[in-house]
Amino acid sequence: MLPLVALVGRPNVGKSTLFNALTRSRDALVHDQPGVTRDRNYGVCRPEDQRSFVVVDTGGIAGEEEGLAGATARQARAAAEEADLVLFIVDGREGRSALDDDILRWLRKAARPTLLVINKMDGVDEDAARAEFARYGFDDVIGISASHRQGVDDLLEEVYERLPEEGDAEALDEDPTRMRVAFVGRPNVGKSTLVNRLLGEERMIASEVPGTTRDSIAVDLDRDGRQYRLVDTAGLRRKSRVDEAVEKFSVVKTLQAIEQCQVAVLLLDATEGVTDQDASVLGAILDAGRALVVAINKWDGLTTYQREQAESMLARKLSFVEWAESVRISAKHGSGMRELFRAVHRAHASATHEFSTSEINKALEIAYETNPPPSIRGHVSKLRYVHPGGSNPPTFIVHGTRLKVLPESYKRYLENFFRKRFKLVGTPVRFIFREGT
Ligand code: GDP
Ligand code: GDP
């Protein structure tokens, strides 16, 4: 499982600024797609050469708010109590406050490993700021400026020193014979109904995969002679409705499952369409670069007219992931399962295909000659060659010159050209452009 890091602190110290600095993907193309939303409190930090971890912005943690705010605060506490590491954020400009003291008391009770982070170190006397918080008694104190992205890399180093080692769970993921599939979606779309049906159908050939202390995180499923590992199934089956906080907290599980799977099946509820929450799960899948199948569940409950309405709405709302296949299913009645698994296999095959350098250079050459990049203010990009940059998602590294003036529209053209030529469905495709040879 991905480690969990919680940002804790009073309002306005810069938690959400730091959250964004940690979780925004470097690839703006991926990040800024229209129609995709992202959860403002839960995200994944993916440093280039280190293990990823889940980041939770716990929002306000101290208050005894009621209603919605109360639920948010409870979630925040639940997240911090489960975290592998808490970053206690304070404001270097304003110094200590009574609220900081309250939070510290609460953190001591929660007893999680905690690092003190003094933010807004830009333009303040750093020694004075450190002295101000010295009485909190932390051995290690990191000063940063989140809004200037200063000190964030040092902070990351400190974080890694404190995160748990990769455990057996990760080793279990490496079983190459099993395709790792995650069924994800917001509460009530039918995930447990679907998973239980799949497992029941197979007369419990499914067995829990041992190896984690907290929760069993996967279940194996053999179906039609194929082997699957359903990621985070324990979280699905043993769901608790006792506390909204716990329910919402499963966002962390969702992010972890997405990270661990090869193919994410996004469940939608046909009777409710695509909600903001659906869109943010989709955003997480795209950020992770996972293969995707959209399963529109509860298709049984719709009249013909409603089905037509649903079709046109889905086509509109999902137009930016045209490459993903969508299937209509009923988890309740078990219909659409064959189509679902076929789509999963197509997505997996596309996502994990190994390309030869010669076939992709041939493709680049044809794409280039059919439609060379346009001249931009007298400058023209030259594309020289391409080499494979890995799979899942398929990644192509294109070398050339004057790539700064290569228009986004041309990048999309290349992507579509490659998709068509290599019949890539159900997976994102990444192009990385490198100046020079
Ligand atoms: P949160 O309530 O803890 O999530 O705080 P925000 O991230 O919303 O930040 C509160 C305010 O502090 C915003 O106006 C930010 O622009 C500002 N801020 C955040 N980080 C820094 C920083 O490193 N230096 C300065 N000077 N301002 C910052
Ligand atoms: P989860 O929160 O995503 O795990 O959703 P559940 O599996 O608990 O399902 C939520 C509700 O939707 C339950 O009342 C299910 O009986 C119902 N449900 C699930 N799948 C279907 C379906 O295919 N058709 C219909 N009509 N209802 C379904």
Side-chain angles (χ1 to χ4, degrees), residues 66-99:
E66 308 219 324
L68 204 59
T72 309
R74 280 203 303 282
Q75 285 158 30
R77 280 176 216 131
E81 278 161 8
E82 288 262 328
D84 295 294
L85 179 66
V86 171
L87 301 184
F88 176 27
I89 325 275
V90 295
D91 186 328
R93 304 200 149 190
E94 299 202 346
R96 256 183 312 114
S97 77
L99 212 46

Side-chain angles (χ1 to χ4, degrees), residues 313-386:
M313 190 272 299
L314 289 163
R316 202 173 62 244
K317 292 238 176 165
L318 298 174
S319 61
F320 60 94
V321 281
E322 267 171 342
W323 46 263
E325 290 191 84
S326 58
V327 291
R328 285 103 189 101
I329 65 165
S330 167
K332 195 165 168 184
H333 299 300
S335 54
M337 297 299 120
R338 191 170 296 273
E339 291 76 9
L340 172 63
F341 276 84
R342 283 201 186 127
V344 165
H345 276 277
R346 278 192 291 269
H348 181 261
S350 287
T352 56
H353 184 80
E354 304 272 353
F355 292 88
S356 75
T357 304
S358 64
E359 67 180 335
I360 59 178
N361 275 288
K362 185 80 201 162
L364 182 69
E365 197 183 310
I366 298 171
Y368 189 72
E369 278 169 11
T370 317
N371 175 23
S375 165
I376 306 286
R377 294 181 299 277
H379 296 291
V380 183
S381 310
K382 260 208 150 70
L383 307 181
R384 296 193 183 280
Y385 67 96
V386 55

